[in-house]
Each structure stands twice: as structure tokens, then as C-alpha cells.
Amino acid sequence: MFLLRLLILLLLILSPLSVAADGAESAYQKAKNRYRSLTESAKKQLYRDHWEAVIDGFLKVAERYPESDRADDGLYMAAYACRGLYRVSRVPDHARRAAALYDRLVNSYPSSTLADDALYESAQINEDLLADKAEAFVRYQAVVDRYPQGDMYAKARHKAVALVAFASAPKAFPAPETPKPMATAPAGLSTLKGIRYWSNSGYTRVVMDFDGTADFRTNFLPANPQEGASPRIYLDIQSGYGPELEQKVSVQDGLLRQVRAACYDQDTVRVVLDLVSFSNYKVFPLQDPFRIVVDVFGEGVPELTGNPPELRALPATGKDEIARVLEQTPAPAEPKVALPASAGPPGLRRIVIDAGHGGKDPGAIGPSGTLEKDVTLKIAKQLKKQLIAEFGCDVVLTREKDIYLPLEERTAIANKVGADLFISIHANANQNHSAYGVETYYLNFSKNDQAAAVAARENDITQEQLGDLELILFDLMANAKINESSRLASEIQSAMVKHLSRDYSHIRDLGVRQGPFYVLVGATMPSVLVESAFISNRREESRLISRKFHEKTGAAIVQGVRNYASDLKLIANNQ
């Protein structure tokens, strides 16, 4: 009987370990198979999202099963895949991330048989790809000091000797630190990482960021004068966790008084928006990473101001890079042409131009290594100059340089400044490298598989997740200006094809299409997304890097805007 009880006890102890080991092995093999599929397809390797999916798959092995035998393998392969992405993109941040992941393996699993290999790989990246020979020396020397019996010892010693001149100051590769206790979400719960908002007296967007998906329920409570309570919107987020959030943050923008967040119970976070006055609100989720967006609208349209929007973040942990860049952006120029007063619409006061992708998101990558984020910014800057010269209106760029902006922030900027038009510039891509042409999109349900594929790529999600987005569009169409956006898209598409055909051969008209694009969701003005050319096509890639093409594309879009505005009598006939 004693032996039987002992056997049962051992089985109870070992069973969870066995399950964890099986889970780690299964996750690792799944990531490995995805990596093999990627390396066997030259076409797939052109798309960043395929590489990121592989990297994330390997990282999840280490993050979900940190005590398993596959955790160090997962980190090593994640770093290796990052280096593979760098070979395609040539983006230095990808090389830095690879080195950081190798370093992480060394610090987290110093006794791993892969530790000396990871340290050596990190050294090579610093030396060859990042041109930081001092950091490379530190890592080569660490291999020599820490792993004298390892198979990388001889190579590392040779390299350390060659780079000894760069050891000008005493410096050593940091020793692994003892892990500090962290407040982590209980199993199965998603952490509410923070809250961001953009606000003025006529429009406020609040975004809640999570580290995983979560179900939520939205409620509205009208004002109760007897109790002195203002109207409130509140969200109960199931499986939510947010122990370090500030409990109350003042907004005071005339529309939203404050935002409050707290753990409602052991597995629910409640976020409350205390309102001053409003006319309508919308709530919708976005994916990868999961976040919940609340748009609150006041009466009328946002006031036209001279300053670009400022990003605010909760809890207050110092302004992020986006806020700093937006603050440094020069105020838009005063209109050069006074638009005459009329009984109809006041005219084109302000246009927001969005350069697609940016920062850590390079977008699509051309056969010669051209990055979509670079060409879209150049086209956007050129278009800004031409619009100001043509209409004398204010033109705001969502980004002036190579920075990362979440998709929901781009539309929020346009809403906040009371833009009359929102135009997002992109370069198309297709696994079929012979595909070419120009097409223009507006927000709606995708009508075919090709449109769905473009929307999924620009949203950086899968087509399965795209289906989930289309379900919530039913509740968002009221403010989407569908008819006006369709008309604007038609005019821009027609002008693009007509004007570019004068200077270039093989300009294919792919038409006006509809799709559920994150960057257009929630826009309160006519908004379109322009796919200017296919960066995956060698002929069109060479055009996308040409200043002439940037100018011609900008001129075509300007003509499309003029035709649209003239049709709606937004511009006086004598202009």
C-alpha cells in the first residue's frame, strides 16, 4: 500500500512536468516547421510578417515554457530568424534585435550548451553588421573567460586578440542577474499594459493596450444630477489584469473629464470614462497586439487649430517617442489662398497625409531591398508641398521621419485636427512578382480575396482575423463617410492612371476597391488608401525610388483631390 501511494504521488508530481515538456516540444516543432516553410519559399521571405510570425513562434516557446529543455533552443532560433530577416531587409534594428536575443539566451541560460554559440553570434553581429568592435570584443572575450571548454573558444580567442585594440576601457559582458519578482498576470489573464488618448473639445480617442486578447462588455450610464454623477462610459474587461495602472487621470478637454481604471474583481478590469458632454461614441477592438479603442464624439466638428496633436499616455511613465516627435513637428503653414465664404461647405481647410508604415515596421520589401516605409514618406512629403501650393490649405503629415506609429493613432490625428480629407500612402506587394499597377481603397467590406489579402497585409494580421474586423464594421459605418470616400477614391484613381500613363509605360488600372483597413477605421472625414505601385515588381520598385515618380504621383493625387473638391463645390469657381 505504501509503495502504491508513493507511485501515485510521483505521478502527480511528474504529470505537470510531462505536460509542460510536451507542450514545449510541440510549440518548438510547430515554430520549426513554419521556419522551414519560410526558408523554402523565396517569395515568402520578401514579407516581414512571415519572418515575424516565425520569430514570435520561437519566442513563445521560451516565454511560455521557460523551465523546459526547449526554452534556450527557442531563443536561439528566434535570434537566428531575426538575423535572417536582416539579410532580407538590411534594417539595422533587425540585426540589433538578433544580437539582443542572443544576449538574452546567455543571461537567461548561462549553462546551456548553446550559450557560447549565442555569445559568439552576438559578437559577430556587433562586429560585422553593426560596426561596433568594442561591443564585439567584450563578447568574444566573454566566450574565452566563461566557456574555455566550449567549441567556440578557439575562434573567440582569435577574434579577441584581433580586436584587443578596441578594449580601451575596462568593460565586461554583464553577468546574469538574479531575476527580480515581477507582478505578472495569473494564468489565462491578459495584462492591461496602459491607456493612450488623443483629445480636444470635439473628439477624443482612448486606446487600451493588452498583452493578449480579452473579452469585454461596454455600458453607458446617463448623468444623475441627484447624485452629482456625470455621464459615464465603462468597460468591463474579462480576463483582464492591471495592478500597476493609475486609478485616476485627468483629461479635462471639454468632452472627457477623466479616465479611471482599476481591478473590479480578481479577473476583471473596469475602465471608466467620465464625460462632460457628448453626442455619440463607438467602441471596437483591434488585433496584433490586442487593444480596445473608444471614440467619443462631441457636437459638431473639431476646431481647426494651428498645432498638430499631442499623444498622451497613461500611466505617466515619461513621454514616448511619438509624443516627442509630434511636439517637435512645425506648426502647419497659414493658408496662402483665402477661401471665400459661402453657404455651403467651407472648403479644404486641412488635409492629413499618412505615410504608411515606419520605424520598426518597414512594410513590404522590394527585390532590391527597397523598404515601403521609405518610399511612402518621400511621396507623402512631396504631396504635402504640392497640396499647399495648389490649394493653400494646411497639410499635416502623420509622421515627418522614420518613426513607428500604431495604425489607430494615424486616424486619431486626422480626427483630432478636424481634417477635411485623410489620404494614406502605400506601396503594394504580391507574391507574384509580375503583378503591377495602381489601385485605391476606401473603407468597406472586402469584395474579393485580392482586396482581403491587401487589407490583411496592411493591417499586419491574418485573413482569418480580417473576418473578425469585418464583423465590427457594421457598427462603425455611420461615421465612415462611405459615399464621399468612394468618390474621392475614384477621382484619385482616375487621375493616377491618366497622369502616370503620360510619363510611364505599363500603368495598369486596378480600379477602386473596398477593404477593412485599420488605418481608415474611425475616420470622420472622407478617407482613402492609395497603393501607388507594386514594390515587389522590379520595374515598379525602380520607379518608387525615383524623385520623378514621387513628383508625378503627388501631382496626380493633387489633381484627383481637385476634381473631387470641384465636384462637391468645395472650392470657389474663380480659384
Side-chain angles (χ1 to χ4, degrees):
M1 181 62 70
F2 173 77
L3 291 176
L4 179 60
R5 289 179 179 175
L6 181 60
L7 178 60
I8 293 173
L9 180 60
L10 287 173
L11 288 174
L12 289 174
I13 293 173
L14 295 176
S15 179
L17 298 177
S18 176
V19 171
D22 291 343
E25 184 63 29
S26 175
Y28 180 78
Q29 292 301 330
K30 182 178 179 181
K32 188 176 178 180
N33 290 336
R34 178 174 285 182
Y35 176 72
R36 184 180 294 111
S37 174
L38 174 60
T39 57
E40 290 174 353
S41 172
K43 294 180 179 179
K44 285 184 178 180
Q45 292 179 47
L46 293 175
Y47 297 88
R48 179 187 57 81
D49 56 334
H50 291 301
W51 287 99
E52 292 289 356
V54 168
I55 294 165
D56 288 345
F58 283 122
L59 282 177
K60 285 177 181 177
V61 177
E63 291 166 356
R64 293 181 179 177
Y65 309 98
E67 305 301 324
S68 72
D69 292 338
R70 283 299 191 183
D72 54 342
D73 293 331
L75 283 175
Y76 190 89
M77 288 304 299
Y80 192 80
C82 270
R83 187 164 184 175
L85 173 58
Y86 170 80
R87 293 190 186 99
V88 177
S89 70
R90 297 299 172 182
V91 176
D93 281 349
H94 295 155
R96 293 188 187 95
R97 187 184 181 195
L101 286 172
Y102 281 129
D103 290 347
R104 177 178 163 187
L105 189 160
V106 176
N107 285 320
S108 300
Y109 305 97
S111 300
S112 168
T113 57
L114 293 173
D116 61 329
D117 298 83
L119 201 49
Y120 186 85
E121 291 293 334
S122 178
Q124 280 199 315
I125 291 173
N126 277 279
E127 179 185 8
D128 299 334
L129 307 184
L130 303 177
D132 193 336
K133 298 186 185 299
E135 289 294 333
F137 171 81
V138 166
R139 285 157 177 77
Y140 287 133
Q141 189 61 45
V143 175
V144 175
D145 295 338
R146 295 187 190 181
Y147 305 103
Q149 306 303 319
D151 58 353
M152 305 308 296
Y153 173 81
K155 291 182 179 180
R157 185 172 180 274
H158 177 75
K159 285 283 191 177
V161 170
L163 297 180
V164 70
F166 294 92
S168 55
K171 186 177 182 181
F173 188 75
E177 296 181 359
T178 303
K180 298 179 180 178
M182 294 179 60
T184 58
L189 300 190
S190 300
T191 301
L192 177 56
K193 308 294 288 186
I195 303 174
R196 298 172 284 136
Y197 69 90
W198 300 259
S199 68
N200 65 14
S201 58
Y203 167 79
T204 298
R205 170 168 285 186
V206 178
V207 179
M208 287 151 270
D209 296 302
F210 293 81
D211 66 356
T213 58
D215 295 327
F216 65 94
R217 181 167 54 91
T218 307
N219 291 281
F220 170 73
L221 294 176
N224 188 331
Q226 288 76 20
E227 297 181 1
S230 62
R232 285 156 288 166
I233 300 168
Y234 72 89
L235 295 86
D236 283 340
I237 299 126
Q238 305 299 319
S239 300
Y241 185 72
E244 298 179 355
L245 288 174
E246 293 185 12
Q247 293 185 347
K248 186 183 299 183
V249 176
S250 176
V251 178
Q252 300 293 354
D253 61 2
L255 182 62
L256 182 62
R257 185 162 60 87
Q258 64 184 6
V259 178
R260 295 179 282 133
C263 290
Y264 183 67
D265 56 37
Q266 63 180 3
D267 61 355
T268 304
V269 166
R270 173 167 289 183
V271 178
V272 181
L273 284 69
D274 291 313
L275 306 171
V276 177
S277 64
F278 78 108
S279 63
N280 194 13
Y281 74 94
K282 297 291 183 183
V283 182
F284 55 94
L286 298 178
Q287 303 292 334
D288 286 343
F290 180 77
R291 60 261 198 217
I292 300 173
V293 180
V294 183
D295 278 343
V296 183
F297 302 93
E299 298 292 342
V301 298
E303 179 184 357
L304 181 64
T305 60
N307 295 318
E310 177 183 350
L311 171 67
R312 300 179 185 271
L314 314 177
T317 56
K319 294 183 179 180
D320 64 12
E321 179 184 0
I322 299 170
R324 290 194 298 272
V325 171
L326 287 176
E327 286 178 340
Q328 294 166 3
T329 302
E334 290 297 320
K336 296 180 181 178
V337 179
L339 299 178
S342 66
L348 291 177
R349 307 172 308 159
R350 174 168 286 172
I351 299 174
V352 171
I353 305 299
D354 172 52
H357 308 278
K360 67 181 182 181
D361 175 18
I365 303 172
S368 300
T370 304
L371 304 182
E372 182 182 1
K373 68 174 182 177
D374 295 334
V375 298
T376 59
L377 183 57
K378 291 177 181 178
I379 293 174
K381 287 182 175 181
Q382 182 63 41
L383 177 58
K384 176 181 179 178
K385 295 178 183 177
Q386 294 169 313
L387 285 170
I388 293 174
E390 180 73 14
F391 303 118
C393 61
D394 287 344
V395 180
V396 174
L397 295 182
T398 57
R399 64 183 181 96
E400 296 270 4
K401 57 178 68 174
D402 185 19
I403 61 170
Y404 173 75
L405 291 180
L407 294 174
E408 67 272 13
E409 180 173 342
R410 299 165 189 258
T411 314
I413 290 173
N415 287 345
K416 177 176 169 59
V417 301
D420 296 300
L421 299 178
F422 177 78
I423 303 173
S424 188
I425 306 296
H426 291 258
N428 217 333
N430 196 295
Q431 293 188 4
N432 177 7
H433 290 187
S434 63
Y436 68 96
V438 58
E439 57 190 346
T440 308
Y441 285 85
Y442 65 95
L443 181 69
N444 210 330
F445 304 99
S446 54
K447 296 297 185 181
N448 55 50
D449 291 342
Q450 183 178 346
V454 173
R457 182 177 63 81
E458 296 294 3
N459 292 341
D460 199 16
I461 58 174
T462 66
Q463 287 192 236
E464 289 77 11
Q465 291 171 322
L466 190 73
D468 296 334
L469 173 62
E470 292 201 325
L471 290 177
I472 69 172
L473 282 179
F474 283 110
D475 193 43
L476 300 172
M477 289 303 181
N479 288 317
K481 303 280 186 181
I482 297 299
N483 291 335
E484 292 92 335
S485 297
S486 173
R487 186 178 294 111
L488 175 62
S490 296
E491 294 292 355
I492 289 178
Q493 176 68 18
S494 176
M496 290 275 285
V497 173
K498 179 179 179 180
H499 284 254
L500 291 177
S501 295
R502 296 173 181 172
D503 296 281
Y504 300 95
S505 61
H506 299 91
I507 297 297
R508 176 181 290 174
D509 183 2
L510 298 178
V512 173
R513 299 179 183 270
Q514 309 170 40
F517 293 87
Y518 280 172
V519 74
L520 303 180
V521 170
T524 58
M525 73 294 299
S527 54
V528 298
L529 184 149
V530 179
E531 296 281 8
S532 55
F534 278 76
I535 200 169
S536 53
N537 179 291
R538 287 191 178 275
R539 179 179 63 246
E540 297 205 334
E541 179 192 24
S542 66
R543 292 174 181 174
L544 284 167
I545 62 177
S546 162
R547 181 179 178 83
K548 175 185 175 182
F549 187 79
H550 304 159
E551 293 173 348
K552 297 295 182 182
T553 299
I557 295 176
V558 167
Q559 184 59 52
V561 171
R562 170 169 279 282
N563 293 343
Y564 164 82
S566 297
D567 288 346
L568 295 183
K569 297 182 180 180
L570 292 178
I571 299 178
N573 292 330
N574 62 345
Q575 271 194 229

